[in-house]
Amino acid sequence: MNDGTMLGQLIAQAEDEGAELTTLRAIAEEAGTVGADRALARLGLEDAGAAKDMAELRELLGAWRDAKKSMIKAVMQWLGRTVAALVLVLLAMRMGFPGWLK
């Protein structure tokens, strides 16, 4: 059956029977399935390779997040070392280190 055939049949059945709860649930479920299929088709994810593509995208996103985390960590370490070096230089100047070199 195509996208709307089952949904159309369920709606017709609901009209004929006075819409029992099970019929309404079936309509809602079928409408959700049809809507999800349409949304995936609009995104270009309706083919068989879509699951593989999504897995690759998730792996790529995970790698990006790891790289970003590593970069931030490296920058923070670099800043920490720079501040520590500046503190040591200022401390040496305060204690008269340039005079020791003469």
Side-chain angles (χ1 to χ4, degrees), residues 1-11 26-42 46:
M1 284 185 206
N2 65 7
D3 287 352
T5 305
M6 178 62 102
L7 187 57
Q9 289 176 354
L10 287 169
I11 291 172
I27 289 172
E29 183 178 340
E30 189 63 26
T33 302
V34 170
D37 289 341
R38 285 182 185 166
L40 288 172
R42 286 183 185 157
E46 77 278 6

Side-chain angles (χ1 to χ4, degrees), residues 62-77:
W64 167 255
R65 288 179 178 156
D66 290 343
K68 188 170 67 170
K69 210 182 299 184
S70 296
M71 188 259 322
I72 290 172
K73 184 178 176 183
V75 167
M76 295 305 280
Q77 287 177 345

Side-chain angles (χ1 to χ4, degrees), residues 72-91:
I72 290 172
K73 184 178 176 183
V75 167
M76 295 305 280
Q77 287 177 345
W78 180 80
L79 285 174
R81 289 178 182 149
T82 302
V83 169
L86 285 174
V87 167
L88 287 175
V89 167
L90 290 173
L91 187 61

Side-chain angles (χ1 to χ4, degrees), residues 19-58:
E20 293 180 15
L21 181 60
T22 55
T23 305
L24 292 174
R25 284 185 178 168
I27 289 172
E29 183 178 340
E30 189 63 26
T33 302
V34 170
D37 289 341
R38 285 182 185 166
L40 288 172
R42 286 183 185 157
L43 293 172
L45 297 173
E46 77 278 6
D47 62 342
K52 182 182 175 198
D53 294 342
M54 290 302 296
E56 288 176 356
L57 284 172
R58 287 182 180 183

